[in-house]
Amino acid sequence: MENRIDRALKGAGGIQLMTHVVAGYPSLEVNAELIRLMARCGVRLMEIQIPFTDPLADGPTIMRANQAALDVGITPGHCFELCSALSSELPDVGFMFMTYANIPFAMGMERFLHQAAASGASGVILPDLPWDETDGDYAGAARQHGLHPVMVISPDTVGPRLDAVLRRASGLLYTTLKVGITGAGSSIGQAGVDYVRNLKNKAGLPIAAGFGISRPEHVRMLSGLADVAVVGSHIINLLDREGMSGVEDFLLACGRQG
Amino acid sequence: MSRISDMLPRHFGPYGGRYVPEMLVPALEELEQGYLKYKNDPGFVAELADLYQNYCGRPTPLYFAENLTRELGGCKIYLKLEGLAHTGAHKINNALGQGLLAKRLGKTKVIAETGAGQHGLASATVAARFGMGCTIFMGEVDVRRQYPNVYAMKLLGAEVVPVTDGTRTLKDAVNATLKYWIQNLRDTHYILGSALGPFPYPVMVRDFQSVIGREVRAQILEREGRLPDHLVACVGGGSNSIGLFHPFLEERGIRFHGAEAGGRGLNPGDNAARFGSTPKVGIVQGYKSYFLQDDSGQLQNTHSVSAGLDYAGVGPELAWLYDQKMVEFAAITDVQALDAFRRLTRLEGIIPALESSHAVARAMELAPTLPRGEIMVVNISGRGDKDIFITAMELDRENWISFLESEVRHGK
Ligand SMILES: Cc1ncc(COP(=O)(O)O)c(C=O)c1O
């Protein structure tokens, strides 16, 4: 069976969106509703974040969402159930589990990958599990479960470390646009854009770019350079402030940029 | 590159490592290279030694606690008085080392997490001394309970940022500092305050703190003509303990004792005893070690009367020493620590920090069971001035409250 990430990216004209939900924030029911809405708006790549107490790469918006989800008792099991339900309902969407090292470590990496695959996910994103630590070299194991190891790099990732990542990555390579943490920003820096351009030439696999994307213009800036624009914190902010319709308006506006 | 890194231990058994987002790696590599370059550089070593002696007041005394020894009726007890170092705790040893390194690396600003405020105070002091900008992240809970240090940090010119996320204690301060650092890598050095976090911090902090053990070694040889039988230290993240222990780890026949925070008791959330009933390994805050966590791997709340021991993780080298049964850990409750605090004060005229009071309490448990001929060294990692709002509230509540009330009245 073809990996859904590959399917979503194959022959896609223009730039695709990848969105992010923190499972359990504000509730699993709202997550499901939001995921359906995003799919209706044409989003075919989605991250489901398994909440963690100490999310090292996340800024205030996503961190607070993690905390709120944990406060109501969300466990990894709930996250797998959410993905199971939605992945069978939405066969065109490629879901990726994003979380931090201690979650798969506590569960056992093999079991984590097995559960992720069994719940219909197509990839995993583990930003604090680097390939040069023994527990971090999970790319091959992920592929054996039919999951793409979506590795996260930044504009400072160059030289031999970039080569090492490229040897392991498959499906999609995620670069941040800045050296920083997640969070909706007001502008996208030129350095980030230049990095994406160079990476695209070198990588030989689809590139997702994110961190700070909060406007349709940001998506347009990346169009023709990256294959995927990632919108994380801004979706949460919109949902909090303007509800589902705010998210819908934004996604449709972004869609017109591609 | 990898050859050079082999020269510093990146792992301790299975523990330690560098579990960070890729974007932090270049900064940690720069730090690793910088530390390797300067750690044995004669100019760097001489400058640090001069600061230790003339700025910090090192060597700190090794004091024979005659009254305590007599009272407990067991082994001979010496106290290593780190509380007499400048700024009142061992934390300055590491802050000066890292601050000097940051300067050499061309950084213009330092940041740090702090729990008890001693590391924040030491970092703010170093920043003032070296003319660097300084921001300290401190859990909101700790800002409240360690206010004397908050005041001192501000006085020294540091910005103190209360951290309101998560448990609002040391662990969350570490997160906040790491995140600030990720966003300001070019000009900022993160002075991590304990022997934990991603490589090279555990080894670098241990090396800077080993001055404690090296001094003890020379001092006890001079006084007793032999090495001690027991070393006792409190264990938060593990910097004062590994600093005391490390220069003795190769010796045979020495027992190493770590005192953890037993808090209010054994229930999850009531203590910070990582080596308590069911120690569990995890990967958090950039390193692999033992962490207080639930079955899903979420870090648990912790509690201790002492902010500096109120932390869910522990340095990776201590984790490895635990596995090898080299260090014996025991949990000391809040009540025991306060009792030890009071007793040491009365017996020796030494007011220990609440963190260090845990080591004193452990010594009080052990000493009576040990032969008179044996020698024990207890690290008094800090002095107790900073804890006045806690100890006065516990031990002299009514007078303290009426004093505070009258201060407020007169202040207005
Ligand atoms: C006086 C004192 N002792 C001990 C500690 C615990 O830290 P560590 O275990 O790193 O020595 C602290 C930390 O704040 C402290 O201030």
Side-chain angles (χ1 to χ4, degrees):
Chain A
M1 200 178 46
E2 192 181 11
N3 184 297
R4 291 188 194 184
I5 298 173
D6 299 338
R7 194 142 45 86
L9 288 166
K10 200 158 58 186
I15 192 162
Q16 297 243 8
L17 288 183
M18 173 157 136
T19 54
H20 184 111
V21 299
V22 175
Y25 181 80
S27 68
L28 292 165
E29 293 70 32
V30 173
N31 288 151
E33 205 186 318
L34 179 64
I35 288 168
R36 290 187 193 105
L37 170 93
M38 296 191 296
R40 277 202 306 281
C41 292
V43 179
R44 294 186 61 184
L45 297 167
M46 297 185 202
E47 292 176 60
I48 298 179
Q49 180 163 2
I50 302 175
F52 180 53
T53 40
D54 298 81
L56 196 54
D58 285 308
T61 302
I62 294 182
M63 184 172 48
R64 277 199 279 274
N66 273 259
Q67 192 64 49
L70 292 171
D71 287 346
V72 298
I74 296 297
T75 65
H78 293 120
C79 306
F80 293 129
E81 284 163 25
L82 177 73
C83 187
S84 278
L86 274 300
S87 66
S88 36
E89 191 183 314
L90 304 167
D92 289 335
V93 177
F95 289 98
M96 283 150 265
F97 278 112
M98 182 266 166
T99 193
Y100 289 90
N102 208 40
I103 298 294
F105 185 75
M107 194 176 288
M109 181 57 83
E110 193 52 34
R111 207 174 128 229
F112 173 80
L113 294 171
H114 174 82
Q115 300 253 62
S119 67
S122 309
V124 291
I125 306 177
L126 302 166
D128 63 340
L129 206 41
W131 52 270
D132 57 348
E133 291 292 341
T134 32
D135 314 88
D137 211 358
Y138 57 88
R143 269 188 290 275
Q144 289 197 337
H145 286 276
L147 298 162
H148 281 313
V150 178
M151 303 177 73
V152 185
I153 61 174
S154 84
D156 277 356
T157 310
V158 293
R161 285 196 75 88
L162 177 58
D163 296 338
V165 168
L166 291 176
R167 277 198 299 277
R168 289 166 174 83
S170 61
L172 187 63
L173 179 62
Y174 185 157
T175 183
T176 63
L177 289 161
K178 59 180 180 183
V179 175
I181 53 179
T182 62
S186 52
S187 65
I188 302 279
Q190 192 55 42
V193 173
D194 292 343
Y195 182 77
V196 172
R197 183 180 293 116
N198 291 333
L199 186 63
K200 182 65 196 165
N201 291 332
K202 182 172 172 128
L205 79 168
I207 304 298
F211 279 36
I213 296 180
S214 64
R215 293 186 187 164
E217 304 90 89
H218 297 158
V219 178
R220 189 175 55 220
M221 276 178 76
L222 292 170
S223 176
L225 298 174
D227 302 275
V228 177
V230 187
V231 192
S233 303
H234 189 58
I235 298 283
I236 297 181
N237 288 334
L238 282 172
L239 188 70
D240 286 350
R241 289 186 210 136
E242 302 170 32
M244 293 285 171
S245 67
V247 177
E248 182 170 13
D249 292 347
F250 175 78
L251 292 177
L252 294 177
C254 288
R256 287 191 290 271
Q257 302 294 335
Chain B
M1 198 96 118
S2 67
R3 280 256 59 85
I4 297 177
S5 3
D6 290 347
M7 291 160 58
L8 291 173
R10 175 176 174 138
H11 297 96
F12 301 94
Y15 306 114
R18 185 183 273 164
Y19 293 88
V20 294
E22 190 62 37
M23 62 174 75
L24 251 182
V25 170
L28 292 166
E29 284 182 344
E30 180 196 8
L31 185 58
E32 175 192 340
Q33 300 305 323
Y35 180 56
L36 265 172
K37 178 169 172 200
Y38 288 111
K39 74 192 274 266
N40 296 320
D41 173 73
F44 182 87
V45 172
E47 191 172 345
L48 188 58
D50 178 68
L51 286 162
Y52 277 172
Q53 182 183 334
N54 298 311
Y55 190 60
C56 289
R58 305 207 69 91
T60 56
L62 183 72
Y63 164 74
F64 173 51
E66 194 179 349
N67 298 335
L68 182 65
T69 298
R70 192 179 330 105
E71 167 102 352
L72 296 175
C75 67
K76 220 169 162 180
I77 302 172
Y78 282 85
L79 306 177
K80 177 64 171 166
L81 299 182
E82 284 299 292
L84 290 183
H86 183 39
T87 70
H90 69 291
K91 296 288 182 186
I92 191 74
N93 305 334
N94 170 50
L96 268 176
Q98 286 196 46
L100 205 56
L101 183 57
K103 217 49 207 158
R104 292 282 203 280
L105 297 178
K107 305 292 174 183
T108 54
K109 176 161 187 184
V110 292
I111 53 173
E113 87 294 343
T114 197
Q118 288 300 136
H119 176 60
L121 177 64
S123 299
T125 299
V126 166
R129 170 65 181 75
F130 293 155
M132 302 171 101
C134 182
T135 301
I136 304 295
F137 296 85
M138 189 170 190
E140 200 180 35
V141 171
D142 296 332
V143 167
R144 202 164 352 100
R145 60 179 163 171
Q146 305 278 228
Y147 200 79
N149 276 339
V150 175
Y151 167 73
M153 286 184 259
K154 289 183 180 165
L155 204 58
L156 287 157
E159 177 194 12
V160 180
V161 179
V163 177
T164 56
D165 313 304
T167 61
R168 294 174 290 133
T169 54
L170 183 54
K171 151 179 106 59
D172 308 283
V174 173
N175 289 336
T177 319
L178 278 168
K179 287 179 195 184
Y180 180 95
W181 197 35
I182 291 176
Q183 299 172 82
N184 298 277
L185 294 170
R186 302 265 186 283
D187 62 347
T188 302
H189 172 69
Y190 177 6
I191 306 186
L192 218 162
S194 195
L196 49 80
F199 172 68
Y201 281 106
V203 54
M204 184 171 66
V205 176
R206 176 256 273 165
D207 288 351
F208 287 135
Q209 291 294 3
S210 292
V211 67
I212 303 172
R214 284 197 307 272
E215 286 178 7
V216 165
R217 194 185 177 98
Q219 289 166 322
I220 201 78
L221 283 176
E222 192 183 312
R223 301 283 285 280
E224 294 280 349
R226 69 177 189 89
L227 296 180
D229 304 289
H230 300 270
L231 296 174
V232 186
C234 67
V235 183
S239 69
N240 87 87
S241 53
I242 198 71
L244 173 67
F245 298 164
H246 193 263
F248 295 97
L249 287 175
E250 307 276 290
E251 303 295 340
R252 291 165 153 269
I254 297 183
R255 283 176 63 190
F256 302 90
H257 305 274
E260 298 188 279
R264 288 182 290 250
L266 297 175
N267 289 333
D270 278 349
N271 60 67
R274 290 96 4 142
F275 299 108
S277 42
T278 46
K280 198 162 178 246
V281 177
I283 301 171
V284 190
Q285 294 191 328
Y287 66 107
K288 186 194 276 191
S289 186
Y290 288 93
F291 289 89
L292 287 163
Q293 55 185 312
D294 69 13
D295 290 339
S296 304
Q298 309 292 355
L299 288 200
Q300 280 168 341
N301 287 345
T302 51
H303 163 82
S304 171
V305 69
S306 74
L309 305 188
D310 197 354
Y311 177 65
V314 66
E317 189 163 9
L318 287 172
W320 180 228
L321 292 171
Y322 167 82
D323 280 10
Q324 296 170 291
K325 303 194 163 41
M326 288 274 290
V327 177
E328 302 162 51
F329 290 90
I332 297 296
T333 64
D334 289 352
V335 171
Q336 282 178 287
L338 279 162
D339 181 55
F341 168 84
R342 197 166 23 190
R343 285 175 74 191
L344 187 71
T345 301
R346 289 291 171 88
L347 280 167
E348 297 290 353
I350 291 170
I351 304 180
L354 282 175
E355 290 76 16
S356 324
S357 300
H358 287 69
V360 175
R362 183 63 185 139
M364 288 174 170
E365 287 180 338
L366 290 166
T369 70
L370 299 170
R372 281 165 200 268
E374 294 197 349
I375 298 169
M376 171 185 281
V377 175
V378 185
N379 198 26
I380 306 299
S381 55
R383 60 173 182 246
D385 322 24
K386 70 181 176 63
D387 297 316
I388 186 166
F389 284 83
I390 302 165
T391 53
M393 208 55 119
E394 293 282 343
L395 305 176
D396 188 23
R397 193 182 179 85
E398 275 174 29
N399 286 329
W400 182 246
I401 287 176
S402 64
F403 162 71
L404 291 178
E405 282 170 351
S406 85
E407 276 299 283
V408 170
R409 265 198 313 278
H410 286 106
K412 279 186 182 161

